[in-house]
Structures are given as C-alpha cells and as structure tokens.
Amino acid sequence: MRGPALVLTAVAVCAAAPVRGQQPKQPWAGSARAASVQLTDTSSFGAVGIALEYRALPWLAFGAAPTLVRATSGATTVSGVGDLPVALEASGQWGSPLHPELGASVIMLLPTGQASCGVGSGVTSVGMQVATGIAPSEGTHLWADASRSFSGAITLSSLDRPQATWIDIGGDLDVAPRWTASLSAGGDVGASTTSPADREIGGGISYAITESLNLAVDATHRIAGEAPKWGLTVSLGTASSTLSPLNSPAPLGRQRQIFSGAGGTKGKAGAGGTTTTTTTCP
C-alpha cells in the first residue's frame, strides 16, 4: 500500500534529521479549543476539546485529542463524547537557509463515541498525514500537508469525504510584535462521488500571550462542493514548534482536526422533522 510506505519513508527521513540536544526542552504541549461550522441551512457541527502532545524525542511525539461534539440536522440535535484521535508523529527540521521541515504521522480513531445516536463511527480506523514546510525569511512560514484515511468510508475528519485525500497549503506572517496572520486553502482529491469537489479557504490571527502560549482565532468559508459554508475556531495553548497532526498551525487544519472524532458525515445527525429532538449520548 502506497500510503503506509510513504509514511515509513518520511519517518526514516525525520529520524535522520539533525536535532539540537538529546531531549526536548518542553516535552509537553497542549491546547484547548472550540469550533463551530455551518454545513447547510439546516445542519451544523460544534465541538470543544483539548489536544495533548508528549515529545519523547526531538523527532518523535505522541498525541491525543478528546472532544465533545454537537451535531444538528434539521430539528434533530445529538451531542456527546466523540471518537478519540491518537497519533504517532515523526518530524525533522534542517538548518539550511530555508529551514525546511518534514512531518509524518499515523492517526488512529478509537471508537469512544456512541455511533448508535450519531456521535462517533463505532469502529476503529487508521489514517495518515504528511506535511512539509519552509521559512523563506524571518517571520514567514509556508507549509503544505495531505491527509487520508485507510478505512474507506470512515474519514479522519467528519468534514472530509469518504475515500478522499485532503490537501491543504498555506502560510503565516508575523505582522507585528506578538501578532501573526495566517491564510490557508484546501480541497479534497479522489472522492468517490460525481458532485463538485470540496474547496475551502481560511484565515486567522494569533497573539502570543507569552513566549509559548498562543491565542488563535480562525474563520473559514466554502468555495465549492460540500465544504462548510462558514466556520469559526478558537484555540488557546502551547505554541507548536512542529507540523502537528492534532494541533495544526493552519486555519483549515485546526478546523478539521477538532472534528476528527465527531463521527457521522457532514453533520448529518438525523433526518430532521417538525418536532425538535435533542439527544445527549453518554
């Protein structure tokens, strides 16, 4: 299978990358975050959660991102604990003029949600993410990443289409002391559907409260397909120094990652109807 082979190759490259020191200075990183997306006039997703990362080696990290989700479709709303994304990530950085970096991760979704009431998938699934970035000048960072599920109909993010690869490109720029602006654009490739492919753009601003603590606010908008019509994400946490599979520096990445454990497909929590129904899953 090409996907796992690509991840293994990237991991080997990251392990061979030069690193400074034998142990990370700050092995733990994390963030609290909340997001809301409007999918159609009658369906939406909301989520709150945390992303935790432990960097065992300068090039190797483990992460998990528990989430509470809320999905509305028509008059039906369900809420509860979503599936649990856990990740094994390898990353490397080089000291050449462009400061290139490469990251690869394997992501597993554990079925901690309740699929019977529309929160969670009900099965364990596995996927991958590969990312690369450069810093062409001080205060400027450009990146690109691709993610895909190995499990067919079960996607890494509930905003993704089955059997599609999500590709995202973007960058950020330090616009003032402590302030950084970011922009990203993304879309899916290879989805098993004849409808137009999803296309989306996002922009955000982050403020460095301290040297390692950031507050970020992102907004996104649909360009084509069934991507969210609009979205808003707020995150507060430790600044990530690498391309992270669960705590992205990109506006679209942060949005999609918080919905990794939401389950369902494009916010379809139920068939709707004329009577309001609200279900809270255990």
Side-chain angles (χ1 to χ4, degrees):
M1 185 180 294
R2 293 182 179 178
L6 181 59
V7 172
L8 290 175
T9 300
V11 168
V13 172
C14 294
V19 294
R20 295 185 177 91
Q22 297 300 316
Q23 293 294 331
K25 293 182 179 180
Q26 296 179 336
W28 286 99
S31 67
R33 53 203 188 165
S36 177
V37 294
Q38 188 71 35
L39 300 166
T40 69
D41 291 338
T42 59
S43 62
S44 62
F45 262 163
V48 294
I50 58 175
L52 298 173
E53 179 185 82
Y54 175 71
R55 186 157 295 277
L57 298 170
W59 60 273
L60 182 67
F62 304 88
T67 305
L68 296 174
V69 298
R70 180 182 179 91
T72 298
S73 181
T76 300
T77 298
V78 297
S79 60
V81 177
D83 289 344
L84 177 64
V86 294
L88 172 64
E89 170 201 0
S91 60
Q93 297 176 321
W94 290 263
S96 62
L98 292 178
H99 302 286
E101 55 185 332
L102 176 66
S105 58
V106 176
I107 306 168
M108 178 180 293
L109 292 180
L110 303 178
T112 54
Q114 296 292 320
S116 59
C117 60
V119 179
S121 63
V123 298
T124 300
S125 58
V126 180
M128 69 168 187
Q129 180 180 4
V130 178
T132 186
I134 59 172
S137 63
E138 185 175 358
T140 303
H141 183 211
L142 305 176
W143 66 80
D145 69 74
S147 60
R148 181 181 178 88
S149 172
F150 300 149
S151 304
I154 307 301
T155 58
L156 288 180
S157 172
S158 295
L159 304 180
D160 293 342
R161 296 197 190 196
Q163 300 180 357
T165 298
W166 178 263
I167 298 176
D168 187 3
I169 60 173
D172 57 50
L173 175 67
D174 293 343
V175 294
R178 295 178 177 263
W179 292 93
T180 300
S182 57
L183 182 68
S184 60
D188 59 31
V189 178
S192 56
T193 177
T194 58
S195 59
D198 291 356
R199 298 289 184 267
E200 192 177 6
I201 60 171
I205 190 75
S206 64
Y207 175 73
I209 300 173
T210 67
E211 184 177 353
S212 60
L213 185 66
N214 276 16
L215 172 65
V217 179
D218 306 305
T220 65
H221 182 64
R222 174 196 298 168
I223 298 299
E226 298 178 358
K229 294 178 64 176
W230 61 262
L232 179 67
T233 302
V234 179
S235 60
L236 172 67
T238 305
S240 178
S241 61
T242 62
L243 299 167
S244 170
L246 298 179
N247 197 13
S248 172
L252 291 183
R254 279 191 284 258
Q255 179 193 73
R256 307 192 84 76
Q257 287 169 0
I258 195 173
F259 291 108
S260 293
T265 302
K266 299 293 184 183
K268 295 178 181 177
T274 58
T275 301
T276 300
T277 301
T278 301
T279 301
T280 301
C281 300

